[in-house]
């Protein structure tokens, strides 16, 4: 196969070095067990591990399989085990690894679907288990929303960090407890439990506490902190789990109980526009 | 069986009791020379008669029983946590909890009997 002109970096970018990609290959339909395969990848300045994989696919071996989408650290698809750490391939620059050989495997603690594609089903099932949505006692408040919930910026600050989770699954791959106990809910689901329980618009605290109050819930966290170390979005799930433990205790002791969520704001009828705010543009549709 | 969080809260509470009672123990048994120096200790804490004398006091009897209960609970909860790390099935987890609870209660009753018997001596 000739080099793809789109990927030919020799004319446009100076090749700084050539690195060896040592990539895990596994096709469950053909292979009895995973094997490692080596590729030589030229590296211009700024090339990411994901771009290196694309180079391999387009120029060296079109059968190499992985999952990726946005290429900018937003979608969370390209989580891989790169040189011994779970990382997003699109956010990891090859030169930053400071190595001549890059070992790439699928995320640990998940089954392999093919090559570098992990089966993220456990992550998504645990995420769904804790009901990652606003729970209101009056269901019609959500189903037939008539206005905005009133929430102050300060109340938002209490949980906003945990809304940055992109469900990439790196935290579960890094967690030593998940490694030995697949049933453990794990840092992602527990951090999201804290995120929704802390949201003043939500009324599902007791409901979620009951869901996670098992031997596979918060008490199983060893506080190794590996989840927080590898999170590509700067979320701190280990911290969230400790806060969740505290909140469960305070809730039980009736010291800090969130019985009712914030109300829905009524329609603004007598509001006056602030000085200097221009008219809205005319509708185009 | 209790909720998992309840076991954990009791574990924390037991830890607090241990912290207080162990501090008292360390002060009496290992800082005895200091207590002598400030005039509130006899200095012969390890002598059999001293041990007997302490056992006859209600304060020590009660503190022995509380320390025994707290240490047993704290330790057995830790053992349970370690065993649960073995990824056991729910039924086995329940069985382990029951065995540790019954075993712990048995040791606690026996230890309490010893503390009360020492008080009576």
């Amino acid at each position: 196969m000739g080099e793809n002109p789109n990927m030919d970096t020799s004319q446009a970018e100076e090749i700084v070095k050539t690195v060896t990609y040592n990539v895990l290959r596994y096709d469950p339909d053909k292979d009895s067990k995973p094997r490692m395969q080596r590729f030589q990848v030229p590296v211009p300045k700024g090339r990411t591990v994901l771009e290196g994989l694309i180079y391999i696919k387009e120029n060296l071996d079109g059968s190499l399989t992985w999952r990726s989408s946005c290429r900018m650290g937003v979608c969370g698809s390209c989580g891989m085990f790169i040189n011994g750490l779970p990382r997003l391939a699109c956010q990891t620059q090859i030169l930053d690894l400071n190595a001549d050989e890059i070992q790439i495997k699928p995320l640990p603690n998940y089954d392999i679907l093919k090559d570098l594609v992990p089966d993220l089903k456990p992550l998504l099932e645990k995420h769904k288990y804790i009901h990652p949505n606003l729970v209101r006692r009056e269901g019609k408040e959500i189903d037939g929303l008539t206005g905005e919930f009133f929430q102050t910026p300060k109340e938002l600050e209490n949980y906003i960090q945990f809304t940055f989770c992109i469900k990439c699954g790196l935290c579960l791959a890094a967690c030593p407890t998940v490694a030995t106990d697949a049933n453990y809910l794990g840092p992602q689901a527990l951090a999201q439990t804290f995120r929704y329980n802390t949201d003043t618009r939500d009324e599902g605290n007791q409901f979620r506490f009951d869901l996670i109050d098992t031997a596979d819930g918060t008490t199983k966290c060893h506080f190794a902190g590996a989840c927080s170390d590898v999170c590509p979005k700067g979320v701190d799930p280990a911290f969230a789990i400790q806060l969740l433990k505290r909140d469960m205790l305070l809730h039980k002791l009736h010291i800090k109980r969130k019985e009712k969520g914030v109300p829905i704001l009524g329609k603004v009828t007598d509001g006056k526009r602030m000085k200097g705010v221009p008219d809205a543009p005319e509708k185009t549709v | 069986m209790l909720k998992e969080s309840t076991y954990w809260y009791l574990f924390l509470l037991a830890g607090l009791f241990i912290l207080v009672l162990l501090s008292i123990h360390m002060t009496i048994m290992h800082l005895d020379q200091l207590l002598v120096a400030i005039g509130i200790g006899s200095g012969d804490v390890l002598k059999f008669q001293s041990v007997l004398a302490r056992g006859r006091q209600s304060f020590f009897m009660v503190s022995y029983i509380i320390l025994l209960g707290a240490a047993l609970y704290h330790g057995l909860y830790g053992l349970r946590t370690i065993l649960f790390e073995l990824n056991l099935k729910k039924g086995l987890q329940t069985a382990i909890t029951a065995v540790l609870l019954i075993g712990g209660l048995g040791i606690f009753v026996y230890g309490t009997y010893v503390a009360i018997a020492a008080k009576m001596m």
Side-chain angles (χ1 to χ4, degrees):
Chain A
M1 191 196 294
E3 285 217 347
N4 184 322
N6 295 327
M7 290 301 296
D8 184 4
T9 55
S10 58
Q11 291 171 3
E13 296 165 298
E14 186 189 346
I15 302 301
V16 179
K17 67 194 277 194
T18 298
V19 298
T20 303
Y21 266 45
N22 198 10
V23 184
L24 184 138
R25 305 298 307 269
Y26 177 61
D27 183 345
D29 294 333
K30 294 178 188 167
D31 303 325
S32 58
K33 60 179 184 180
R35 62 193 161 82
M36 301 301 287
Q37 188 176 0
R38 300 168 82 85
F39 302 97
Q40 297 298 312
V41 177
V43 185
K45 201 175 173 188
R47 175 168 277 185
T48 64
V49 171
L50 178 63
E51 287 166 344
L53 288 171
I54 294 170
Y55 173 87
I56 294 171
K57 191 167 183 78
E58 297 200 338
N59 299 292
L60 306 174
D61 186 342
S63 68
L64 182 62
T65 309
W66 71 89
R67 190 190 283 131
S68 66
S69 182
C70 74
R71 308 186 192 188
M72 51 199 266
V74 173
C75 71
S77 303
C78 63
M80 296 172 194
F81 200 57
I82 301 166
N83 275 8
L85 270 182
R87 313 175 206 240
L88 289 184
C90 70
Q91 272 194 337
T92 308
Q93 301 237 341
I94 296 173
L95 294 178
D96 284 350
L97 292 171
N98 202 19
D100 294 327
E101 181 167 322
I102 300 172
Q103 192 177 67
I104 308 177
K105 294 179 178 178
L107 288 177
N109 301 343
Y110 298 98
D111 290 337
I112 306 172
L113 292 178
K114 192 180 177 188
D115 292 344
L116 300 173
V117 184
D119 184 358
L120 296 179
K121 208 172 163 188
L123 165 83
L124 301 173
E125 281 179 349
K126 287 170 183 174
H127 180 61
K128 275 163 66 180
Y129 172 75
I130 57 99
H131 287 252
N133 50 273
L134 293 184
V135 174
R136 299 283 290 195
R137 288 194 195 92
E138 296 282 338
K140 62 184 179 190
E141 288 181 336
I142 297 293
D143 298 334
L145 202 58
T146 55
E148 293 177 22
F149 290 110
F150 180 78
Q151 186 170 64
T152 65
K154 178 79 185 117
E155 288 168 341
L156 175 66
E157 272 178 28
N158 291 333
Y159 69 87
I160 193 167
Q161 177 202 155
F162 305 104
T163 65
F164 298 150
C165 172
I166 54 173
K167 289 92 193 167
C168 60
L170 299 199
C171 52
L172 263 74
C175 177
T177 309
V178 174
T180 54
D181 183 357
N183 293 327
Y184 171 49
L185 272 174
Q188 194 277 336
L190 292 173
Q192 290 309 297
T193 305
F194 177 77
R195 175 253 176 276
Y196 281 96
N197 278 9
T198 310
D199 192 327
T200 49
R201 300 169 297 176
D202 182 86
E203 294 177 343
N205 276 36
Q206 185 63 60
F207 169 65
R208 289 197 197 87
F209 283 149
D210 289 341
L211 286 176
I212 62 168
D213 198 355
T214 67
D216 297 319
T218 48
T219 52
K220 194 158 259 185
C221 172
H222 290 195
F223 204 14
C227 51
S228 302
D229 281 346
V230 300
C231 179
K233 304 308 286 185
V235 179
D236 191 346
F239 183 48
I241 295 172
Q242 310 320 308
L243 293 175
L244 193 57
K245 284 180 183 175
R246 181 202 63 183
D247 285 357
M248 284 176 80
L249 177 60
L250 297 179
H251 182 84
K252 193 154 192 143
L253 296 175
H254 292 259
I255 294 172
K256 183 185 168 191
R257 277 204 170 212
K258 189 179 75 184
E259 301 291 358
K260 203 158 168 43
V262 291
I264 294 175
L265 282 174
K267 267 195 169 176
V268 179
T269 53
D270 58 347
K272 286 179 183 171
R273 194 185 306 166
M274 289 172 72
K275 207 177 173 184
V277 177
D279 286 337
E282 281 185 23
K283 285 184 179 175
T284 54
V285 179
Chain B
M1 292 292 155
L2 301 172
K3 279 186 171 182
E4 194 58 35
S5 59
T6 307
Y7 289 122
W8 189 66
Y9 300 144
L10 291 173
F11 169 72
L12 295 184
L13 193 66
L16 275 178
F17 274 111
I18 291 170
L19 197 67
V20 173
L21 292 170
L22 216 54
S23 300
I24 296 173
H25 165 83
M26 297 298 277
T27 306
I28 293 172
M29 302 303 293
H30 301 283
L31 296 177
D32 51 322
Q33 295 307 313
L34 183 71
L35 293 179
V36 171
I38 59 175
I40 54 171
S42 61
D44 52 1
V45 288
L46 288 177
K47 281 189 177 169
F48 183 65
Q49 291 307 320
S50 299
V51 175
L52 271 185
R54 282 198 300 275
R56 290 194 189 107
Q57 295 176 45
S58 298
F59 167 78
F60 280 102
M61 182 194 73
V62 172
S63 64
Y64 288 158
I65 293 171
I66 295 174
L67 183 58
L68 173 67
L72 262 176
Y73 184 84
H74 202 77
L76 291 178
Y77 178 86
L79 176 62
R80 176 177 174 272
T81 305
I82 292 168
L83 293 174
F84 278 21
E85 293 290 319
L86 300 173
N87 207 1
L88 308 172
K89 288 182 178 168
K90 292 282 174 211
L92 194 53
Q93 287 185 355
T94 309
I96 285 174
T97 303
V99 167
L100 292 176
L101 201 66
I102 293 166
L105 272 174
I107 297 170
F108 179 71
V109 168
Y110 184 65
T112 302
Y113 164 73
V114 172
I116 292 172
K119 169 87 169 64
M120 300 300 178
M121 281 174 78

